[in-house]
Amino acid sequence: MKNPNPGLFDDLPNSPDEIICGVDEAGRGPLAGPVFAAAVILDPNRPILGLRDSKKLTEAKRDLLAPVIKSQALAWAIAQASEDEIDQLNILQASMLAMRRAVEALSTVPTLALIDGNRCPVMQIQSIAIIGGDDKVDAISAASILAKTARDAALVELHAQYPHYCFDQHKGYGTALHLARLREHGASPVHRRSFAPVRAVLLKVGA
């Protein structure tokens, strides 16, 4: 675990028997596609160089690190919550659901989950939220990278189904290109209907 600020993690459990997983999500902001989450238990005997917040890495660097994480971690899992679940629960609760699913899918049961952000999903194991954890804790950085690369790959697949939205370029985020295509073609089955720009298009169509 990185600790650039001495004392910041002094209150974390430090038992050699503790099995710690890092957890992060990707895709809370986009207008389309599922929200993804990953959980990673790193092997302390196999450190991975270059881990940091996925948003601070280039796409090429993320794509290089993802298979290294998968091959060298003690355990990892990726999960998601669908567009329907996002619309039914709201994006925050859907993100919590995806993170819980990722932790529960790990092949090794952790004793502690370190969650990026200021909230923790409800789980049967202890969890601690760490603001900015994806750039402070290696296991969270690794989870951030896996969640981001998995979601990007999923949006490239959605582009093959709905090419006129250019999902491969903006990955579902509300860019000028995406908004223009959304207005031109209307909402697809993978758009999040509870999000304001999509809802506005649907209301206009129904008017």
Side-chain angles (χ1 to χ4, degrees), residues 31-131:
L31 308 179
V35 61
F36 276 70
V40 178
I41 302 173
L42 291 176
D43 184 345
N45 297 315
R46 303 183 74 188
I48 301 171
L49 298 178
L51 293 177
R52 63 180 313 192
D53 175 6
S54 65
K55 296 184 291 296
K56 296 182 179 180
L57 297 170
T58 64
E59 181 177 0
K61 185 63 173 176
R62 290 193 298 266
D63 289 342
L64 285 173
L65 282 169
V68 176
I69 294 166
K70 292 176 179 179
S71 66
Q72 296 188 197
L74 291 176
W76 61 273
I78 299 170
Q80 59 181 282
S82 69
E83 303 89 357
D84 286 343
E85 288 172 322
I86 292 169
D87 290 336
Q88 292 168 13
L89 300 173
N90 75 47
I91 185 58
L92 173 61
Q93 294 306 319
S95 299
M96 295 291 112
L97 176 60
M99 289 193 282
R100 177 171 62 80
R101 285 172 172 167
V103 172
E104 291 176 348
L106 287 167
S107 58
T108 298
V109 179
T111 59
L112 173 65
L114 301 182
I115 313 291
D116 180 57
N118 60 2
R119 297 171 185 250
C120 294
V122 176
M123 297 184 291
Q124 294 186 347
I125 64 169
Q126 181 186 5
S127 59
I128 299 173
I130 301 175
I131 295 174

Side-chain angles (χ1 to χ4, degrees), residues 19-32:
I19 302 174
I20 297 175
C21 72
V23 186
D24 200 6
E25 53 75 28
R28 283 180 62 168
L31 308 179

